[in-house]
Amino acid sequence: MSQLISRSDLTAWINALLAEYTVIAPTKVDSLALYQPVKRADDIFMDFGITALSPKEWLFPPTETLFTITTQDGTMKLEAPPLDGKNLIFAIRPCDARGFRLLDKVFLAPPADTHYAQRRQNTTLIGLACSKALPQCFCTSVGGAPNDASDVDVLLTEVEEGYLVNIVTEKGQAAVAQAKLIEKDVTPPSPPNLKPVSTEGIVEATLRAYNDDYWERLADRCTHCNVCAFVCPACYCFDVRDHINQGKTERLRCWDSCQAPGFTRVAGGYTPRPTKGARLRQRFGHKLLYYPQQYGDLLCVGCGRCIASCPVNIDIREVMEDLQKLGVKSVSARA
Amino acid sequence: MSLLAPERPITNPFLPYLATVKGVTQLTPDIKLFNLELDDPEVREGFDYRPGQFAFVSAFGVGEAPFGLVSLPHWKAGVEFALRRVGTVTRALHDLEPGAKVGVRGPYGNYFPLEDYRGKNILIIGGGIGMAPLRPVIRTILERRPDYGDLTIINGARSPQDLVFADEFDSWATAPRTRLELTVDRGDDNWSGQVALIPSVVQELKPSPANAVAILCGPPIMIKFTLARLKELCFADAQIVTTLEAKMKCGMGRCMRCNIGDKFVCADGPVFTFEQISHLLEPF
């Protein structure tokens, strides 16, 4: 027996959740689907395929205040802002939820990033299994699946009668407390088939191809627009900078991209990664070699957003394939 | 080498300790020594660090940047940084006067394993501001002079007025079994010392690699040629130690600016032997 919620009860449930949580869900913003806080269930756009941006920003915002600096009566005070209340991300895709698993390893390791950790703790993830695959999707090749429930608190799967409700965690249990679930014998639909991408030996292949001129050749067409980093659910490069606005001084953390030419430039002008090739090698090196060595997984969830948004068609699937081929014919690493 | 994992009394790892500028000493035309007192007495007492470690210094409203700690905690005389006026943060810090508030976040990184060097001859080679992080190394060895073998210090700079910690040279040079070689790229009317590049001084001096450790810090070009001279003298990569610099925003291995391949200057370094560095993937 499975637990099921009808379409009308789903609406009622979401409206009930709105009393307790800030509900962040896919919405239609002009021609884009984006995760935004909603005021009512009707605001949610369920037929979204994949959103333009992942919901990463709701745990790791593009810009956030780490602390404010105030001086009163000659005494300086540094204060971290209070963090938001309870959030619920509704209809998160399994790949985007896996992105949080990858970010957890970075931000929850000691010393835990208090901003990320508090948001993580206060956020419930209601997943929505994918009923169809897009041409750029390859989650099954990097450890995920269109119906993977392992990184969400509840997983919804659309069926004819409504949605199957798979409650995964205690947080999920709390979230469905107000949902009208019915027990019914429903066979879950089989997940869509995805074209597999070989990742076998990719860590070693990336290492072997390290000093190959492949990176500069690949970079010829890169415009360092940085879009790949900003759409990625797993990228986490950041900048920390001070900002003074109307007399208020804040220290901000902002998303950054390792593709930006000045990313590693030190005072005085020296830049350890001076070329586009060196910077692209950093991007793919981080995803396919450094992060896996540090944390075990590839730093990619197979959502395909970087593939769909790259203006010059740099495709991580092709890069992996190229690296595997290079690895076979060249042994140019300094190891 | 293990990381010092300081128990930090604050929870937000980006929140610096407040500190007051106690003293500012002009070391060279563009380098000032800042003596800072951490405001909270408890933090001040517990702020422990070792030669080679670094901390971020904040000029509030401008930003923060990482700098090597150049004092020693048991002096109980404040936390010191030697800062060259070269970027936005150091420009802002250079404008500060005693009494000003700054932030200190740290300490971070590993350190020179001076305990392991006991009984060895130590060769210290610093170029320009690269001498700054070597000052606490020299001072530690001088404070515990009998624990170490011969100490040779080669300190070079562009000109005589660019040599840092000149007021300490007499005490270094007169310490037992200690030799101080000063050299400049260009002399001036008052300079009677050597006019030579550091690698040439090393070549002249021919330090023996027997039971020795060479500790280097300076601009990349100096490191490159000094390293070649030391290798000609049969120093093994494991006997040569340096401290690396990189752009950093966190100090916790997260912002992805200071990694050199799979190693982080902030968390795996900044102190590396050349044996470790020769395995690094990217140039540094």
Side-chain angles (χ1 to χ4, degrees), chain B residues 24-27 30-34 81-83 94-96:
Chain B
V24 182
T25 314
Q26 192 92 37
L27 293 182
D30 61 357
I31 299 170
K32 284 180 178 177
L33 180 70
F34 286 83
F81 298 91
L83 309 180
H94 266 240
D95 288 341
L96 298 179

Side-chain angles (χ1 to χ4, degrees), chain A residues 302-314:
Chain A
C303 72
R305 285 188 182 90
C306 58
I307 300 167
S309 39
C310 181
V312 295
N313 297 328
I314 292 175

